């Protein structure tokens, strides 16, 4: 299957800090990337969908000014959690699709803990 | 009504058991169907695609019923390592994930 990486895998930060998470497709060109959030023992929640070179489409209830998404190239998308607060602590997972792939492939996720 | 619905479980079965999960979807125009598996504290991983004619991959069999708008996953001869959450995914340009069905296989 296709390989998607995410960096960093863990982040612990103070409240008010901005945190940037990178998602890369390593062996295919990702025309579309997705960002999800998952709280403990809950299901995946889609936050936003981004197409390369376009503005991201956010799901209802997700603040676009709080969660900044950039998809500037076919292999890289970034999610920046601005002024993170403890309630933003979660497991953030990206996925990517493109290059003829029929479905999404997920990155390993980033655990964010805001103190 | 949710776009993709799954029984959340948990399903607790002994090793060697056969277990089946169902998933229903609301969008009749959906074109592609998948099962993913998610282990605790890990990302989802593609388990198998689901084709109209049904398909099998070792101990796993997936079936699609378009008329009734449901998808199933059958696991035969369950192993301890099958313990995970199984996510049903339905796509019509946008991919929609079910909330997942949790399976625990016990010795």
């Amino acid at each position: 299957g296709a390989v998607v990486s995410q960096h960093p895998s863990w982040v612990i930060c103070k409240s008010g800090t901005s945190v940037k998470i990178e998602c890369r497709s390593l062996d295919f060109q990702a025309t579309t990337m997705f960002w999800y959030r998952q709280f403990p023992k809950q299901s995946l929640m889609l936050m936003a969908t981004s197409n390369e070179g376009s503005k991201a489409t956010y799901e209802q209830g997700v603040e676009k000014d709080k969660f900044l998404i950039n998809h500037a190239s076919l292999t890289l998308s970034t999610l920046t959690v601005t002024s993170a607060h403890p309630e933003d602590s979660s497991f953030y997972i990206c996925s990517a699709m493109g290059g003829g792939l029929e479905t999404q492939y997920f990155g390993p996720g980033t655990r964010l803990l805001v103190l | 009504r949710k776009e993709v619905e799954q029984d959340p479980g948990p399903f607790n079965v002994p090793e060697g058991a056969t277990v089946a999960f169902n998933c229903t979807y609301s969008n009749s125009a959906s074109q592609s169907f998948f099962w993913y598996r998610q282990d605790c504290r890990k990302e989802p991983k593609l388990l198998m695609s689901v084709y109209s004619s049904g398909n099998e991959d070792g101990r796993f069999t997936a079936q699609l019923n378009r008329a009734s708008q449901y998808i199933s996953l059958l696991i035969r001869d369950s192993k301890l390592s099958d313990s995970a959450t199984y996510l049903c995914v339905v796509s019509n340009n946008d991919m929609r994930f079910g909330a997942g069905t949790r399976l625990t296989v016990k010795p």
Side-chain angles (χ1 to χ4, degrees):
Chain A
V3 181
V4 178
S5 70
Q6 244 180 280
H7 178 80
S9 53
W10 277 95
V11 180
I12 302 174
C13 67
K14 292 181 180 179
S15 189
T17 307
S18 290
V19 175
K20 189 175 187 179
I21 303 170
E22 291 187 351
C23 178
R24 292 181 187 273
S25 57
L26 299 186
D27 54 0
F28 68 101
Q29 293 189 322
T31 48
T32 307
M33 285 186 165
F34 307 85
W35 287 96
Y36 294 83
R37 180 166 55 179
Q38 188 173 36
F39 293 105
K41 298 190 178 182
Q42 293 189 24
S43 54
L44 280 175
M45 296 298 296
L46 178 65
M47 298 175 69
T49 302
S50 75
N51 292 300
E52 185 263 339
S54 304
K55 287 185 179 179
T57 302
Y58 290 80
E59 294 296 300
Q60 194 171 8
V62 178
E63 299 173 57
K64 62 180 180 181
D65 295 328
K66 171 115 180 128
F67 299 99
L68 301 177
I69 291 170
N70 184 281
H71 189 172
S73 80
L74 284 171
T75 58
L76 173 65
S77 177
T78 60
L79 167 68
T80 301
V81 184
T82 60
S83 187
H85 291 285
E87 59 266 28
D88 298 323
S89 299
S90 188
F91 187 40
Y92 291 86
I93 317 175
C94 73
S95 69
M97 196 166 175
L101 297 172
E102 63 174 350
T103 186
Q104 300 175 30
Y105 288 84
F106 285 83
T110 297
R111 296 205 176 275
L112 172 63
L113 176 61
V114 185
L115 302 175
Chain B
R1 184 186 171 189
K2 291 182 182 176
E3 290 186 63
V4 181
E5 292 205 61
Q6 292 182 250
D7 181 343
F11 284 62
N12 298 309
V13 303
E15 265 188 296
T18 296
V19 61
F21 307 136
N22 288 330
C23 167
T24 58
Y25 60 96
S26 60
N27 185 352
S28 59
S30 299
Q31 298 173 357
S32 303
F33 309 89
F34 308 92
W35 283 101
Y36 279 72
R37 161 194 177 130
Q38 186 175 23
D39 292 287
C40 188
R41 299 172 70 81
K42 298 282 188 179
E43 77 278 19
K45 292 185 178 177
L46 178 65
L47 179 65
M48 58 196 302
S49 302
V50 186
Y51 302 117
S52 297
S53 55
N55 48 300
E56 191 174 302
D57 182 1
R59 297 181 293 108
F60 298 84
T61 301
Q63 292 195 314
L64 167 64
N65 184 321
R66 284 189 185 270
S68 301
Q69 294 179 207
Y70 82 76
I71 307 147
S72 65
L73 177 68
L74 182 78
I75 305 176
R76 290 182 300 279
D77 189 24
S78 303
K79 310 290 184 193
L80 296 177
S81 57
D82 293 334
S83 298
T85 296
Y86 290 83
L87 304 170
C88 169
V89 181
V90 174
S91 176
N92 180 30
N93 296 322
D94 287 340
M95 295 185 76
R96 296 295 168 184
F97 284 74
T101 298
R102 192 168 158 200
L103 171 66
T104 301
V105 181
K106 299 187 174 181

